[in-house]
Amino acid sequence: MKLESKIPEGPLAEKWARHKFALKLVNPANKRKYDIIVVGTGLAGASAAASLAELGYNVKAFCYQDSPRRAHSIAAQGGINAAKNYQNDGDSVFRLFYDTIKGGDYRAREGNVHRLAEVSVNIIDQCVAQGVPFAREYGGVLANRSFGGAQVSRTFYARGQTGQQLLLGAYSALSRQVSNGKVKLYTRTEMLDLVVEGGKARGIVVRNLVTGKIESHSGHAVLLCTGGYGNVFYLSTNAMGCNVTAAWRAHKKGALFGNPCFTQIHPTCIPVSGHYQSKLTLMSESLRNDGRVWVPKTVEDAEKIRKGQLKPTDLPEDKRDYFLERRYPSFGNLVPRDVASRNAKNMCDEGRGVSKTGLAVYLDFADAIKRDGHKTIEAKYGNLFEMYEKITGENPYETPMMIYPAVHYTMGGLWVDYNLMTTVPGLYALGEANFSDHGANRLGASALMQGLADGYFVIPYTIGDYLATIGPADKIPVDAPAFKEAEKKIQDQIKQLLSIKGDRPVDDLHKELGHIMWEYCGMARSAEGLKIAKQKIQALRNEFWSNAKVLGDAEEMNQALEQAGRVADFIELGELMVDDALHRNESCGGHFREEYQTPDGEALRDDEHFAYVAAWEYQGEGKPEILNKEPLVFENVKLTQRSYK
């Protein structure tokens, strides 16, 4: 398949402006003749649904939660990036563009990333106008702090609740359109299939999670704003309901999947405490502004701490290794997430981990509290400190936090062009559901930026280009054969899941999948380990379909059935992630192949052979997927070995 990225011609800084002018338009009177389906109501989905309805389109918005306010965007903590340069510290649109390209280890499109940096400045104005309570300096101007991979302060924040406040802003805009009758909201409803007819996306098939009823919805275009697939690892910082089903079912209908192995491991998470855990808790990257990361210099001191014979506060400065500051003096504790995570893992591998399991390092605020005072630190991070104390029982004002890397974000996703359209005409993917803006590693505070950029400032322009081409009459009814065929397929799969009647709980199967993925396709990968993982996943897939225990009936509230469908998709996705990681014989960003590293342990890219987007094409049940390549062209940045020293 030939991939048309549709990146506009012309100078980088003019591409988006020129493209907007070249796009076809739908006049205001005609907009009300089009029906648009939006799946997911997080930042990308809520902002897109609200914006499109404001323009006059008829929108149906779907979420599996009982309210859009429960979308996982609410869990984002530390902030949102924008190139406002309020600090006058050297920031600019181009610097944000450059930091993002470099942070993603040169595996993202220049055109998309520059557009993201451009519209970032508008996002903040939009959110302030909505009443989002960003932190402010004493004089009233909006405050900024730093995040990893940048030497400027460009991150706007609302304590440690930025995602919540931004989502409430988008939710208020969405609610206004629901009240106006332009958005029809379907809660507790899960998308289970994409309907494609005549080569175009025509609508979706959903299941009512309360009644179990299967229903179809038709539209002129479908927008998937369904988040990432980090829960393929079972333990992650994602909400337990986060899943890949909507995107994966669309993939099976012709939407290519881009860079599935590009997974982000976040360095500052509360460490695993036992096998009984179902998820992990994030500690915001913003904490690395004031917290210093360290471990004991010797294995002997680390062992004493693990055994409770020594407190971290008893260890003098000369016996501490502030390893990020030592290895990366220019960026210190604010190196990008993949770099910080690998270094924390290396310290623990050396035997210098500090928790009972040996899998933790310290994040220490003693110096910041001494410098700025308890009240200042509390004003910045109070709710995060409270959350940490509730979970661990330790007071981080008095004892250093313990942190360890965990799966957080997925840079891979459905392949989209510059207009955010997938390889299925009429099907778009926004936010974390697409692959487009972050390359092999996402900089902190850029997820919220991308979700709102796609929803507020990109899709309202680009969707018109497609709709103007097809016309209002190009829509099929829900009783058309394509819909009936999709409904039957879903009903057959549900019957198959309920008929297995095995002995093994689905959650246990999911946990095993997560262990395989973390062990062999997590922070470090090797060809040997990935081959083992593929065999194990294939065996697990057979075990799932022969021995899964799925209780209950189809037409009722049945969370076991919901989970079974999602885990079945995760198993298939896991195998594709392994294939993607195995074919990419290089290290870049979050994809770290042990065979490909510099002498000092950094990721070693192979730009000659792997400077492309890997876009995988589904071929049918049990058949290997076909790899399609979109070459990445760099005209404005120089491909160099990434360095934060």
Side-chain angles (χ1 to χ4, degrees):
M1 180 181 293
K2 187 178 181 181
L3 297 173
E4 298 282 354
S5 65
K6 298 182 181 176
I7 301 295
E9 297 293 330
L12 183 67
E14 298 177 15
K15 287 182 185 293
W16 178 228
R18 289 186 179 190
H19 189 66
K20 285 191 290 186
F21 181 74
L23 290 169
K24 296 181 179 67
L25 299 176
V26 178
N27 82 56
N30 283 341
K31 285 188 173 79
R32 62 179 70 102
K33 300 175 184 176
Y34 290 97
D35 300 325
I36 300 173
I37 291 170
V38 178
V39 185
T41 56
L43 284 183
S47 60
S51 299
L52 293 171
E54 182 81 35
L55 288 172
Y57 296 109
N58 306 306
V59 179
K60 288 184 177 181
F62 297 81
C63 67
Y64 61 73
Q65 301 94 342
D66 60 350
S67 166
R69 290 173 298 170
R70 294 190 186 275
H72 189 59
S73 299
I74 204 169
Q77 297 170 348
I80 176 171
N81 288 329
K84 285 286 197 181
N85 195 30
Y86 282 169
Q87 311 299 313
N88 198 27
D89 57 358
D91 201 11
S92 64
V93 167
F94 190 85
R95 188 176 294 279
L96 175 53
F97 155 76
Y98 177 78
D99 286 348
T100 305
I101 289 285
K102 178 182 175 183
D105 218 352
Y106 304 94
R107 290 294 175 263
R109 290 186 193 133
E110 284 191 341
N112 284 67
V113 175
H114 196 276
R115 175 176 66 187
L116 179 64
E118 281 181 68
V119 303
S120 71
V121 297
N122 299 326
I123 294 170
I124 302 305
D125 297 338
Q126 170 88 3
C127 295
V128 169
Q130 290 176 335
V132 173
F134 287 119
R136 294 178 180 269
E137 302 290 358
Y138 178 77
V141 298
L142 297 181
N144 288 118
R145 55 191 177 199
S146 299
F147 261 58
Q151 291 179 304
V152 297
S153 294
R154 63 161 69 101
T155 304
F156 296 77
Y157 63 97
R159 296 185 79 191
Q161 306 168 346
T162 313
Q164 180 187 47
Q165 299 304 324
L166 291 172
L167 186 60
L168 289 173
Y171 174 69
S172 67
L174 176 64
S175 296
R176 179 170 175 267
Q177 297 306 322
V178 172
S179 177
N180 288 344
K182 293 303 294 181
V183 174
K184 188 168 184 183
L185 187 61
Y186 295 83
T187 60
R188 293 178 176 173
T189 305
E190 181 172 26
M191 172 183 161
L192 294 181
D193 206 2
L194 174 74
V195 177
V196 178
E197 189 270 342
K200 300 173 186 175
R202 300 295 192 173
I204 60 174
V205 177
V206 302
R207 180 173 181 268
N208 184 310
L209 298 182
V210 177
T211 66
K213 184 179 179 183
I214 302 299
E215 302 170 341
S216 288
H217 296 269
S218 176
H220 292 91
V222 177
L223 277 56
L224 296 186
C225 312
T226 50
Y229 48 88
N231 277 351
V232 68
F233 291 87
Y234 186 74
L235 284 178
S236 80
T237 64
N238 292 183
M240 290 179 65
C242 294
N243 64 84
V244 76
T245 290
W248 189 252
R249 305 285 170 91
H251 173 55
K252 286 184 162 186
K253 286 296 183 73
L256 268 58
F257 211 106
N259 299 331
C261 81
F262 284 175
T263 309
Q264 179 164 91
I265 314 293
H266 198 296
T268 52
C269 299
I270 296 179
V272 176
S273 58
H275 68 278
Y276 51 82
Q277 275 187 270
S278 55
K279 77 175 298 294
L280 296 173
T281 303
L282 174 70
M283 287 285 102
S284 169
E285 182 170 309
S286 63
L287 295 170
R288 288 197 273 147
N289 273 275
D290 291 300
R292 301 179 69 192
V293 180
W294 65 274
V295 292
K297 283 186 176 179
T298 66
V299 174
E300 292 74 22
D301 283 341
E303 286 179 351
K304 289 178 182 178
I305 288 175
R306 289 197 292 269
K307 293 176 181 177
Q309 298 171 352
L310 185 68
K311 294 180 179 179
T313 50
D314 295 334
L315 206 65
E317 284 288 310
D318 61 353
K319 292 191 175 183
R320 301 181 180 189
D321 180 8
Y322 296 92
F323 55 92
L324 293 179
E325 297 173 29
R326 170 174 57 83
R327 293 201 64 190
Y328 308 98
S330 292
F331 283 75
N333 295 297
L334 286 170
V335 291
R337 292 173 177 177
D338 61 309
V339 177
S341 293
R342 280 197 297 275
N343 277 270
K345 179 182 183 295
N346 291 340
M347 295 300 107
C348 295
D349 289 347
E350 291 177 11
R352 292 196 278 157
V354 294
S355 67
K356 290 180 180 179
T357 63
L359 299 176
V361 300
Y362 285 128
L363 183 61
D364 195 337
F365 291 86
D367 287 354
I369 292 171
K370 184 178 179 181
R371 180 185 67 241
D372 299 331
H374 186 288
K375 287 186 177 180
T376 299
I377 299 302
E378 184 179 16
K380 287 182 179 179
Y381 314 114
N383 64 303
L384 297 171
F385 279 37
E386 290 169 14
M387 184 166 63
Y388 180 87
E389 186 171 5
K390 283 182 179 179
I391 293 172
T392 66
E394 293 186 349
N395 184 347
Y397 292 104
E398 299 172 358
T399 304
M401 284 184 179
M402 284 193 291
I403 57 168
Y404 193 69
V407 173
H408 178 58
Y409 187 91
T410 50
M411 284 76 65
L414 294 180
W415 184 93
V416 293
D417 62 19
Y418 192 70
N419 292 333
L420 305 184
M421 189 188 286
T422 69
T423 46
V424 176
L427 176 68
Y428 295 80
L430 283 65
E432 193 179 357
N434 72 35
F435 87 101
S436 65
D437 291 0
H438 306 296
N441 174 65
R442 177 176 65 77
L443 292 185
S446 287
L448 305 183
M449 176 173 64
Q450 187 208 349
L452 292 180
D454 288 354
Y456 281 139
F457 296 106
V458 179
I459 199 67
Y461 283 98
T462 61
I463 197 169
D465 191 60
Y466 171 74
L467 296 176
T469 302
I470 64 170
D474 196 356
K475 180 187 172 187
I476 64 174
V478 293
D479 58 359
F483 279 99
K484 294 305 174 186
E485 183 182 329
E487 287 179 13
K488 185 178 184 305
K489 175 186 165 189
I490 293 302
Q491 288 165 342
D492 289 346
Q493 185 191 50
I494 289 172
K495 287 178 184 176
Q496 185 181 5
L497 287 168
L498 292 171
S499 68
I500 300 172
K501 300 189 184 302
D503 300 321
R504 198 164 171 195
V506 171
D507 197 60
D508 189 52
L509 291 159
H510 190 183
K511 192 176 293 187
E512 182 177 340
L513 172 66
H515 179 77
I516 295 168
M517 296 301 296
W518 179 253
E519 188 71 22
Y520 300 107
C521 197
M523 268 195 285
R525 301 136 185 214
S526 68
E528 181 183 0
L530 290 165
K531 289 173 183 175
I532 293 171
K534 187 173 177 69
Q535 293 174 351
K536 286 180 177 288
I537 293 171
Q538 289 175 336
L540 183 68
R541 186 176 180 179
N542 293 332
E543 169 78 356
F544 177 93
W545 287 106
S546 63
N547 197 30
K549 186 177 185 178
V550 187
L551 301 175
D553 296 319
E555 294 196 2
E556 65 176 5
M557 181 182 284
N558 189 342
Q559 291 183 310
L561 178 61
E562 294 169 33
Q563 186 184 25
R566 294 168 187 173
V567 172
D569 293 332
F570 276 138
I571 291 172
E572 294 180 7
L573 167 67
E575 187 172 352
L576 182 61
M577 290 172 67
V578 167
D579 288 340
D580 189 39
L582 189 57
H583 105 276
R584 191 172 279 277
N585 293 323
E586 66 165 353
S587 291
C588 55
H591 168 65
F592 191 78
R593 284 280 297 272
E594 293 173 339
E595 307 95 322
Y596 307 101
Q597 52 183 303
T598 64
D600 55 352
E602 303 295 342
L604 183 62
R605 296 193 321 272
D606 181 352
D607 295 327
E608 182 180 353
H609 299 103
F610 294 99
Y612 60 74
V613 178
W616 295 87
E617 184 178 354
Y618 184 74
Q619 294 298 295
E621 199 73 30
K623 296 179 181 178
E625 299 209 8
I626 291 177
L627 172 62
N628 298 274
K629 301 177 182 179
E630 179 203 334
L632 292 170
V633 179
F634 295 94
E635 300 172 335
N636 299 275
V637 296
K638 183 180 179 182
L639 288 167
T640 60
Q641 173 63 41
R642 194 173 54 151
S643 174
Y644 292 94
K645 295 182 182 296

